[in-house]
Amino acid sequence: MHPCLALAAAAATLTVGALPASATPAAAPVAAGPVLTTGGAGGTAVAVGDVLLAPLAAGTRATFSSDTTGSTGVFCGVSPLTAKVLGNPAAPGTATASLTGLTFGSCTSNVTGVTSVKSLTVGNLAYNVAVSDAAGLPVALTAGPAGPIQASAVLNSWFGTLTCTYQLSGAFAGTADNTAHALVFRNAHFVKSGGSALCPGEGYFSAAYGPVTDSTQPGAPAVTVN
């Protein structure tokens, strides 16, 4: 090799080897996906404003029972849930929604003296919903501007028509289940706030809603918490 070419090659080698580490191009950061997606984990973001729908999970009932065992009370075979998405930030985080609809049908009761259930309704909608991707996928319902979360049962009984009204006591907490795409609530505690003296003094609400679907999108795909 010509002496001048050899020197140039050596200089080039030394120059490359002397580059500081900071001069190496950094890898582009990977953007975090949203808390709620359709199409599975890491799928398409659920858009703010989309409407989520969920029936009772197959083979389950919504129960409003007089104790935590759920053995005695009012049992409903139909209870659709409707919510509008208000926020869906990047994970880790908490998605928010407004629970605008929660109704009950096909209700029966095994309370002694109750012959049939005329209605079971919730009051002061809409409620606030928060769905977190933290461990356990916690879900929380809290009261909205209309007032506290409440439930009213109108029952036909041996003693005539009874109206029993209850308000939430403490937290209305549940969890998300990505296998069934469901929201599960167990023993949300209510205390009597009005109605007949024959009404129980407290009640416990339990239900599983799923699959939760994004009804705004074509095909109403199921929703996953990431």
Side-chain angles (χ1 to χ4, degrees), residues 32-78:
V35 174
L36 302 179
T37 58
T38 59
T44 303
V46 174
V48 171
D50 280 7
V51 175
L52 307 182
L53 300 179
L56 286 175
T60 70
R61 298 183 296 177
T63 67
F64 196 83
S65 55
S66 55
D67 58 41
T68 56
T69 67
S71 59
T72 303
V74 174
F75 309 92
C76 298
V78 176

Side-chain angles (χ1 to χ4, degrees), residues 6-215:
L7 288 172
T13 301
L14 289 173
T15 301
V16 171
L19 282 174
S22 60
T24 303
V30 177
V35 174
L36 302 179
T37 58
T38 59
T44 303
V46 174
V48 171
D50 280 7
V51 175
L52 307 182
L53 300 179
L56 286 175
T60 70
R61 298 183 296 177
T63 67
F64 196 83
S65 55
S66 55
D67 58 41
T68 56
T69 67
S71 59
T72 303
V74 174
F75 309 92
C76 298
V78 176
S79 180
L81 174 154
T82 306
K84 182 178 181 180
V85 178
L86 301 180
N88 188 20
T94 299
T96 57
S98 176
L99 183 68
T100 56
L102 182 59
T103 59
F104 300 90
S106 299
C107 300
T108 60
S109 176
N110 63 354
V111 175
T112 300
V114 174
T115 57
S116 63
V117 179
K118 292 189 70 174
S119 65
L120 177 65
T121 58
V122 294
N124 297 329
L125 290 169
Y127 304 148
N128 301 314
V129 184
V131 182
S132 172
D133 59 2
L137 304 180
V139 178
L141 266 65
T142 55
I149 295 174
Q150 67 179 30
S152 296
V154 181
L155 312 171
N156 293 318
S157 78
W158 297 342
F159 313 100
T161 301
L162 304 178
T163 299
C164 306
T165 304
Y166 298 86
Q167 284 189 358
L168 180 68
S169 171
F172 199 138
T175 57
D177 176 356
N178 277 336
T179 300
H181 301 285
L183 302 178
V184 181
F185 302 98
R186 292 188 177 90
N187 292 327
H189 184 224
F190 287 75
V191 293
K192 182 181 171 184
S193 58
S196 170
L198 298 175
C199 299
E202 58 187 350
Y204 296 85
F205 176 77
S206 297
Y209 291 93
V212 179
T213 60
D214 186 343
S215 68

